[in-house]
Amino acid sequence: MNQPLVAVVTPTYNGARYLDEALASVQAQDYPNLVHVILDNCSSDDTAEVIDRHTGGRVAILRHRNPVILDQRQNWTRAFELVPPSAVYVRYLCDDDTMTPSSISEMTALGEAHSTIGVIGCLHDCAGAVQDFFWPKSRSIFDGIEAARMALLRQGVLMPVQMLWRKSVMDQLDPLFSDAMDGSWDMDTVFRMLAISDFGFVHKPLGFTRVHDNTMTAQRYSGKTRAWTRDGLQLITRHGPMAFGSDYQMQLATFRRYYIRRLFKWWREDGGRQHLQPHFDALSKAGLGVNRQSVSDAVLDWIFVKAGLRNGWRGYPGWQ
């Protein structure tokens, strides 16, 4: 039986420190029909030598190098453009992460059993432990819009890393990674795919996601930026109407109250608003600017929540 071609995609920039482990984990896959697309974003370290060591292995490597350094979103876009047209699935792998040997075969099996699935996730070791992604263990398939709603309410966690995407669904997005988001444009892509396909989840740890200070994610979301919450606002305003339907305005109002209370909490912690202007700007851009009425509404909501008369926001991002 012929098995569909899967392309693993790894954009890298000066990633030699961990790249050898990432490439070795691809070569160790038990899935037979696999290629590895590697895009070097003008690295100045030993990245080329690391790739050389794995070239000629069981899994064919399609290596490319940008003539000039691209920003991260442009680099990812270019890397996915290099996927062979004959590929049926695409598996993104960061240059500092790894996969278990059965990762591709187990995720592909779920996709092949259910042709409506466009996005497949899995458990993986992250920050020192296998994380609970909250997806009900009794289910492996979720309607795409239902999955988007659950993710926004933090009843299920979506992480674009360690995911398998069906290429025919991915190809319907133009552009694949939109510049409409200030950050989390990869998460935005997942939500856009869930609007047109279903979600599958393998309840097994099939990868390792490294957490360290040199990643782009760590640099963008570190310290007092609290950028996850700003991204949450953008995800809700972009995808909430699809995910929540008639409940959208209610959910948006609940999130806005939560956000405004977070701003005042952060103001006290920081001793001022020097780190908070991007948040005020994001709320204003969304037509939800902070004013006397919205602050009064947020305070009154806090009283109702504390009294048990109303549910507060417990959704995405859930940790800020």
Side-chain angles (χ1 to χ4, degrees), residues 117-135:
I117 293 177
V119 178
I120 302 171
C122 66
L123 295 174
H124 49 100
D125 187 309
C126 181
V130 176
Q131 304 297 313
D132 183 358
F133 283 8
F134 308 142
W135 300 104

Side-chain angles (χ1 to χ4, degrees), residues 197-215:
S197 67
D198 292 338
F199 177 63
F201 193 79
V202 180
H203 296 276
K204 293 182 182 180
L206 299 178
F208 168 72
T209 300
R210 195 182 306 272
V211 178
H212 57 92
D213 292 340
N214 291 329
T215 64

